[in-house]
Each structure stands twice: as structure tokens, then as C-alpha cells.
Amino acid sequence: MTIANVATRRGYGTSDCGGAQIRAHCRHLATVVTVRGDIDAVNVGRVSEYIRRFIIGSNSVVLDFTDVSHFAAAGISLLHMVDDDCRDAGVEWILVASPAVAELMGVGFDRAETLFPVARSVREALRSLADAIVSRRQLVLPLVKKTA
């Protein structure tokens, strides 16, 4: 086993999934999974399995699809899988969509309703997750004060 294989398995390196290059970065607020290249019917299964490895524990997930140049209709099933798995695990997630992804999904950032949680950038996604944490703390704080 090479160092590259170990790094890829642990999420430190870039993994090639048949035309899509994927890399995961663990950050304080979330694991950012960056995908570049094409997502199509041929590689969507491999891409799904790679992403699925990072839907664990309570760590939020940001899917950075900013550099996805081609997003086939099969990619929608990938997003549904992520949404279902995150919901089952109690994990928040946010998609950062490229123009190709947004076009296929019909996502407009000016629209209040989208099928999946969407942000314009990784920075915006992380800020949104941080704001959600602050909001939850503000809801819990009065309860803690009453029981103390």
C-alpha cells in the first residue's frame, strides 16, 4: 500500500472517480467535500460511495460542486442520496452548486425555496452552519437557565 492510497482512503488526497476528482477537507464546522469534473451516469455510483464515507457522526457536510463542469440527470439521485443519508444521520448539509448543477436543478439563488440546502460559496455555507449553531444555542440557553 502506497502513501497515496492511505492518504486517499483517509480523505487527504484527491480521488479519481471516473472523470470526477474528489477531495475532502475536515474543517471545524463541517467536512467540505470538493468535486471537480463531470458527474454522469457512469461515475455517479462511485462519487456517491466516496461522499457517503463523510456522512458520519454529527459533523456537517458541505458539498462543493463549484467546479463540476457537467452534471447529468443521474446526479440528482446522488443529491437525493446525500439528503436522505444526512437526514437519517441527523447531519446538516449544504450544496455549493456550479452553473451546470444549478441549471439542471433549476436552482435560482434569489428563490426562497429549493429542493436542497444551497449556498453560493463554501464561505457562505460555513457561515450558514455557524449561524445555525448560534441559533440553536440561543434556543437552549433559556431552558438551561430555568433548570439550573
Side-chain angles (χ1 to χ4, degrees):
M1 183 173 292
T2 67
I3 291 175
N5 288 343
V6 171
T8 300
R9 286 184 184 199
R10 294 196 178 162
Y12 301 124
T14 300
S15 180
D16 184 60
C17 293
Q21 294 75 43
I22 307 173
R23 181 179 175 125
H25 302 93
C26 292
R27 297 198 178 174
H28 177 68
L29 291 171
T31 299
V32 179
V33 182
T34 302
V35 181
R36 292 184 168 91
D38 299 339
I39 297 177
D40 54 29
V42 175
N43 68 359
V44 71
R46 290 176 62 194
V47 172
S48 296
E49 288 306 312
Y50 189 90
I51 292 171
R52 190 173 253 159
R53 299 181 336 176
F54 298 100
I55 302 172
I56 54 172
S58 61
N59 203 23
S60 299
V61 175
V62 174
L63 287 184
D64 180 9
F65 281 17
T66 304
D67 293 325
V68 171
S69 52
H70 174 72
F71 191 71
I76 298 294
S77 66
L78 167 110
L79 297 176
H80 281 287
M81 178 275 306
V82 169
D83 192 52
D84 291 344
D85 286 358
C86 286
R87 187 178 310 110
D88 292 346
V91 171
E92 289 183 79
W93 77 285
I94 298 177
L95 170 68
V96 181
S98 71
V101 175
E103 181 181 331
L104 183 67
M105 291 176 45
V107 171
F109 291 106
D110 54 341
R111 292 178 21 194
E113 294 183 30
T114 58
L115 188 56
F116 304 111
V118 179
R120 294 178 193 263
S121 67
V122 172
R123 173 178 264 171
E124 182 181 298
L126 293 172
R127 188 176 323 122
S128 176
L129 292 169
D131 290 347
I133 291 169
V134 169
S135 294
R136 282 193 298 273
R137 285 182 181 160
Q138 290 174 344
L139 290 173
V140 172
L141 189 58
L143 297 174
V144 172
K145 286 181 180 178
K146 287 182 183 179
T147 60

